[in-house]
Amino acid sequence: MESIPGPGAWLYSTIIARSPWMKDFYRAVVDEVCARLSSGRILDIGTGPGLVPLEITRNCSSIEAYAIDISHAMVEIANRNARQAGLSDRAHFRYGSAEKIPFENDYFDLVITTLSFHHWARPEDYLKEVSRVLKKDGELWIYEIKHEPTGENKKDFKRKYGPFLSFVVLNFVRAHSSISFGKIHEVQSYKNPGFTEIGTEDKGMFVKLRLKK
Ligand SMILES: C[S@@+](CC[C@H](N)C(=O)[O-])C[C@H]1O[C@@H](n2cnc3c(N)ncnc32)[C@H](O)[C@@H]1O
């Protein structure tokens, strides 16, 4: 299932806004984006409630953030969050899919996607579409939960967030919303993904795929 429907969107947004684990994760993504881009345009694909682009807009005054999602309910929630934060003028949310991104060629300096890539029905085709909207030398950063975290990753997680959250994340969240080493290798072996380099960065319980146009 690609899109998250109405009640699921509301539940997801409510849970992640209160989760210390997700707040730390979003903070780390925002810090990386702001360190990379002093100004320019960023696109977040599968933005959900839009917390990452909103934080980017809040923290990096010269970045214009755009975000799409194939769930109408999520786009509605993200737009409401932007209005409530007073950031609607620099954070733009609209309906759209990675399959056909509603922007012109060479438009973005950076594209990110957090915890959405594992939903994509045809990743190889969608990656080519992401490449189309990126400027030359632009990058796509894909963040996912690791399907096979190490023993050390699990211990660190439990130490930081306690046994309850650790149990939920390792047994339920990871089972449905994560990326395996096998899938990463598959992405790295795509014949013509529209990117010249595909590397990975270890982020503890997360992994980041970094694709350069
Ligand atoms: C688990 S949520 C992640 C939301 C947010 N990025 C976050 O980190 O909290 C995955 C989101 O990806 C969206 N999505 C799935 N496939 C998509 C696609 N092909 N194009 C755009 N959005 C997509 C879903 O509708 C959902 O809102």
Side-chain angles (χ1 to χ4, degrees):
M1 181 176 66
E2 281 199 305
S3 170
I4 295 186
W10 176 83
L11 189 66
Y12 181 82
S13 310
T14 306
I15 292 172
I16 58 158
R18 286 162 180 74
S19 162
W21 170 53
M22 291 302 286
K23 281 186 189 163
D24 288 349
F25 166 59
Y26 293 150
R27 180 77 254 160
V29 173
V30 171
D31 286 349
E32 287 187 8
V33 169
C34 294
R36 156 96 190 191
L37 273 191
S38 51
S39 64
R41 287 191 208 109
I42 182 170
L43 173 68
D44 180 25
I45 301 178
T47 194
L51 302 187
V52 172
L54 287 174
E55 270 311 294
I56 291 171
T57 310
R58 199 177 274 122
N59 285 274
C60 325
S61 56
S62 304
I63 295 182
E64 193 86 8
Y66 296 79
I68 58 172
D69 201 290
I70 51 166
S71 159
H72 288 286
M74 285 294 198
V75 175
E76 210 175 287
I77 292 168
N79 271 317
R80 192 178 59 220
N81 287 341
R83 279 195 301 278
Q84 283 172 355
L87 294 168
S88 301
D89 55 333
R90 283 181 36 242
H92 314 281
F93 297 98
R94 63 193 279 188
Y95 176 84
S97 171
E99 184 176 16
K100 193 166 181 356
I101 300 172
F103 291 96
E104 62 199 64
N105 296 354
D106 311 317
Y107 196 68
F108 293 103
D109 298 279
L110 181 66
V111 177
I112 60 169
T113 181
T114 59
L115 317 186
S116 177
F117 183 75
H118 64 272
H119 288 272
W120 296 6
R122 290 190 310 286
E124 191 164 3
D125 295 341
Y126 295 8
L127 287 182
K128 279 184 211 148
E129 176 64 358
V130 175
S131 167
R132 180 187 67 74
V133 298
L134 267 172
K135 292 180 185 171
K136 185 172 178 299
D137 295 327
E139 292 191 1
L140 163 65
W141 295 350
I142 299 171
Y143 293 86
E144 285 287 344
I145 297 168
K146 277 185 204 164
H147 192 72
E148 300 101 346
T150 63
E152 199 54 39
N153 294 153
K154 292 182 195 172
K155 250 194 270 165
D156 282 351
F157 192 88
K158 194 168 173 185
R159 206 168 26 237
K160 217 163 165 194
Y161 301 107
F164 176 71
L165 191 57
S166 171
F167 178 79
V168 171
V169 169
L170 290 170
N171 291 288
F172 299 109
V173 178
R174 186 171 58 101
H176 300 288
S177 312
S178 59
I179 192 167
S180 64
F181 291 134
K183 185 73 194 177
I184 293 173
H185 289 141
E186 190 186 310
V187 172
Q188 288 173 322
S189 70
Y190 288 159
K191 288 273 177 301
N192 180 20
F195 292 90
T196 57
E197 290 168 30
I198 305 180
T200 59
E201 291 176 21
D202 189 347
K203 304 277 174 194
M205 279 291 284
F206 295 91
V207 61
K208 172 180 171 186
L209 277 75
R210 190 178 184 141
L211 295 84
K212 185 168 180 225
K213 184 167 174 180

